[in-house]
Amino acid sequence: MKGFQDNFMWGGAVAANQCEGAWNEGGKGMSVPDVDWHNPHLNRAGKRDEDSEMTSARLKELLTIKDDNQFPKRKGIDFYHTYKEDLKLMHELGLKCFRTSINWSRIFPNGDDEEPNEEGLRFYDDLIDTIVGYGMEPIITLFHYELPLNLVTKYGGWKNRKLIDFFVKYCKVCFERYHSKVKYWILINQINLIYVESFNSLGILSDSVENLEEAKYQGIHHQFVACSLATKVAREIDPSMKMGVMISDHNCYAETAKPEDVFYTYQKNQMSQMFYTDVRIRGAYPGYALRFFDDHKFHIEMNEEDLKLIKNYTADFMAFSYYYTRLNSYEKNNKGLNDISKNPLLKASIWGWSIDPLGLRNSLNLYYDRYGIPMMIAENGLGALDELTVDKKVHDDYRIDYLREHIKAMKEAIKDGVDLFAYCPWGPFDIVSCTTNEMSKRYGFVYVDIQDDGTGTGNRYKKDSFAWYQRVIATNGEEL
Ligand code: BGP
């Protein structure tokens, strides 16, 4: 049985808002990640739950803070100015593909502007040309939380149906400009994460709606329609472009073999993950989701035309990020989709993310059996506290171990019959973390000398994992 196909796309993935910086340059408008505040007294293992929502009062307060260092994504790693050198390093690493996002607020600074911002487009012209020039296939995410802030304050975020048109207009500009250079598009990063986040994913202020849970599902309906409409537009412009649906895979295991544990865990997986891919790949709302709405008395406005679009313009490939698995107990975890237990059988990072390579093989099999369309691992990796030695080395054997085991799991999944065509480890050079807004949570093969308080030289140093991944790519996954 053969492992990775000859043209397997070994890559790396980043997001504009976590690396570009230059938050107020080039005509860019303010966006949601620009108000992601770094808490110096961070509770690392608990951050996601603490800060998943935003109120209007908190937003107002954040906007009065003048010190950019408190908002690490505003500066990122200055990729906006250093991308040529950073991509040169990625070329040296041997990457076959590079995933990044276009920051919506560089193209439409307010989201509702009449005309796109030409300066923003020129930046991405050159960025994409540089990726292509280095022989890497660009994979472009169109919405990686970079919602123009004006769409939050003026329109109430994705709960408002008008967001569909703003998003599709933005997509159309990007498709027209880049269709001959970009084949693979991920329309929305981790579209399923609304069950943990309402601000990053949907731009909804929790106190601006009567029923936040219902508002989230209304917002997601608008995202589904927007994705289908964008797919329609893309096919009209250039049918060779491929549109991906992406989720964050946090597959849940049942704590025991008790049928209640097994079934209610399955239900949790349905509503936190498969609901999204079922709609975008199978083209219809599944019965279990409609029942979930009924049981919760959610009224979601949708019309016939929406359902037709959802049915006719489905995704071409499925992408998912994979970091950890979850555990569910019927008795203990009954407070909603995000109520889970720690798996005592697995080691975890200091951020509490369990380490489970076999879980990746399990998920690949699960999704491929269900959908039978090409699969991409859009993110994977180990966030760790790296140490730069005096001679400027980083001995990150823990990262090599993590990635090695996950690559082995992918190889087994391919032998199981899964059509996996790309693997993009997260943050091939260190960037600001998404959930904790800190530099210290590092994923890279390249160390970037910037610290949580914004100090540092900004110099780049290759870690031990650089040469290791370079060899993995050169041998197409044979030497691990
Ligand atoms: C995913 C996001 C990424 C990313 C990654 C790791 O949820 O799509 O943007 O950063 O998780 O998360 P973190 O950076 O918080 O470790």
Side-chain angles (χ1 to χ4, degrees):
M1 263 294 204
K2 219 178 154 319
F4 298 99
Q5 62 194 42
D6 291 341
N7 55 354
F8 188 79
M9 284 164 44
W10 296 97
V14 297
N17 74 85
Q18 289 168 254
C19 65
E20 285 177 6
W23 71 288
N24 54 3
E25 288 180 47
K28 179 183 165 300
M30 200 169 203
S31 67
V32 160
D34 298 329
V35 295
D36 274 348
W37 181 71
H38 172 68
N39 179 355
H41 310 292
L42 192 65
N43 161 17
R44 288 202 159 110
K47 170 68 168 54
R48 187 157 229 159
D49 295 338
E50 273 170 27
D51 237 24
S52 54
E53 291 174 10
M54 176 76 80
T55 61
S56 351
R58 178 68 180 143
L59 179 60
K60 221 168 165 188
E61 186 188 335
L62 289 170
L63 290 171
T64 61
I65 302 174
K66 296 285 165 255
D67 176 14
D68 285 349
N69 284 327
Q70 295 189 34
F71 303 94
K73 288 171 186 162
R74 292 187 185 179
K75 292 183 158 187
I77 58 157
D78 200 30
F79 184 71
Y80 187 78
H81 298 111
T82 62
Y83 65 92
K84 283 193 200 294
E85 297 98 85
D86 288 323
L87 290 171
K88 191 165 174 227
L89 275 169
M90 294 302 102
H91 173 62
E92 188 186 330
L93 183 58
L95 297 196
K96 311 276 187 217
C97 64
F98 184 76
R99 173 183 173 225
T100 188
S101 59
I102 291 181
N103 189 322
W104 186 348
S105 64
R106 284 198 192 284
I107 311 304
F108 287 97
N110 301 296
D112 59 354
D113 315 72
E114 272 306 307
E115 296 298 325
N117 169 33
E118 189 54 33
E119 203 177 340
L121 285 165
R122 275 204 303 273
F123 169 70
Y124 290 109
D125 290 347
D126 198 54
L127 177 72
I128 292 171
D129 284 347
T130 310
I131 298 171
V132 174
Y134 276 128
M136 298 184 276
E137 184 84 48
I139 299 169
I140 299 296
T141 313
L142 282 161
F143 176 41
H144 199 125
Y145 309 135
E146 292 114 354
L147 188 67
L149 201 62
N150 180 51
L151 296 184
V152 173
T153 50
K154 188 163 161 195
Y155 297 91
W158 277 97
K159 173 163 190 297
N160 190 328
R161 208 179 155 91
K162 289 200 176 113
L163 272 270
I164 299 175
D165 294 337
F166 296 140
F167 181 68
V168 174
K169 181 172 172 181
Y170 152 64
C171 290
K172 186 165 187 252
V173 167
C174 297
F175 294 150
E176 276 170 348
R177 190 104 166 186
Y178 303 121
H179 70 96
S180 61
K181 297 169 188 166
V182 179
K183 179 172 173 190
Y184 297 101
W185 299 84
I186 291 174
L187 294 167
I188 296 186
N189 182 62
Q190 305 187 143
I191 190 166
N192 61 323
L193 276 196
I194 66 154
Y195 74 93
V196 262
E197 302 169 329
S198 46
F199 189 57
N200 274 0
S201 301
L202 296 162
I204 297 177
L205 296 168
S206 55
D207 55 343
S208 70
V209 288
E210 258 172 45
N211 180 339
L212 181 62
E213 287 307 303
E214 183 183 67
K216 286 187 192 180
Y217 287 100
Q218 186 64 62
I220 204 67
H221 176 70
H222 294 150
Q223 290 195 348
F224 287 148
V225 176
C227 287
S228 290
L229 259 178
T231 303
K232 178 174 189 279
V233 168
R235 294 205 179 132
E236 283 158 9
I237 294 171
D238 182 345
S240 72
M241 288 189 284
K242 301 282 178 213
M243 299 294 130
V245 56
M246 178 187 168
I247 61 164
S248 170
D249 177 56
H250 300 150
N251 198 36
C252 235
Y253 298 140
E255 193 172 65
T256 71
K258 212 190 279 173
E260 284 81 1
D261 262 351
V262 174
F263 182 70
Y264 292 109
T265 301
Y266 186 74
Q267 270 199 324
K268 217 166 232 186
N269 285 328
Q270 281 181 317
M271 273 321 286
S272 57
Q273 311 196 145
M274 289 184 274
F275 162 49
Y276 303 83
T277 37
D278 280 356
V279 174
R280 287 290 298 126
I281 300 172
R282 290 176 161 170
Y285 272 84
Y288 62 79
L290 298 174
R291 176 174 182 167
F292 178 90
F293 296 160
D294 272 357
D295 288 352
H296 289 81
K297 304 206 172 9
F298 294 162
H299 173 69
I300 311 300
E301 278 172 39
M302 48 179 98
N303 61 43
E304 280 306 307
E305 187 53 28
D306 293 351
L307 299 178
K308 234 192 259 166
L309 283 166
I310 286 174
K311 184 171 190 311
N312 292 337
Y313 299 98
T314 53
D316 299 307
F317 66 93
M318 173 173 173
F320 64 91
S321 58
Y322 181 83
Y323 294 95
Y324 57 87
T325 48
R326 306 182 297 163
L327 189 72
N328 183 57
S329 145
Y330 172 59
E331 269 96 29
K332 287 180 257 165
N333 306 121
N334 45 27
K335 287 185 221 61
L337 295 176
N338 199 30
D339 182 15
I340 45 155
S341 297
K342 270 206 164 50
N343 190 334
L345 303 175
L346 296 174
K347 286 196 184 131
S349 77
I350 64 164
W351 287 264
W353 295 18
S354 66
I355 299 175
D356 183 8
L358 187 56
L360 176 56
R361 180 175 173 192
N362 184 43
S363 291
L364 279 166
N365 272 278
L366 181 99
Y367 295 125
Y368 192 68
D369 283 353
R370 194 170 178 101
Y371 304 119
I373 61 172
M375 300 275 146
M376 167 191 291
I377 302 299
E379 295 177 24
N380 172 237
L382 179 72
L385 297 172
D386 290 339
E387 190 196 329
L388 186 68
T389 61
V390 269
D391 57 345
K392 310 295 181 208
K393 304 262 192 274
V394 177
H395 302 302
D396 56 344
D397 41 313
Y398 40 90
R399 180 168 292 110
I400 296 174
D401 290 344
Y402 177 101
L403 294 171
R404 179 190 292 120
E405 294 311 310
H406 285 76
I407 293 174
K408 279 188 196 162
M410 292 191 309
K411 207 189 228 179
E412 291 305 316
I414 292 171
K415 290 182 184 170
D416 296 332
V418 174
D419 178 6
L420 176 68
F421 71 102
Y423 175 60
C424 302
W426 182 249
F429 37 83
D430 297 340
I431 55 179
V432 178
S433 85
C434 172
T435 50
T436 50
N437 303 312
E438 58 184 327
M439 270 310 291
S440 304
K441 191 178 185 188
R442 297 171 184 275
Y443 287 85
F445 302 108
V446 174
Y447 184 92
V448 177
D449 182 20
I450 299 176
Q451 310 310 318
D452 292 340
D453 60 1
T455 58
T457 60
N459 289 345
R460 276 57 167 159
Y461 302 102
K462 291 174 203 164
K463 303 181 193 175
D464 290 355
S465 56
F466 188 96
W468 173 80
Y469 191 46
Q470 196 176 40
R471 188 77 200 136
V472 172
I473 299 174
T475 62
N476 200 27
E478 282 307 309
E479 278 186 34
L480 291 169

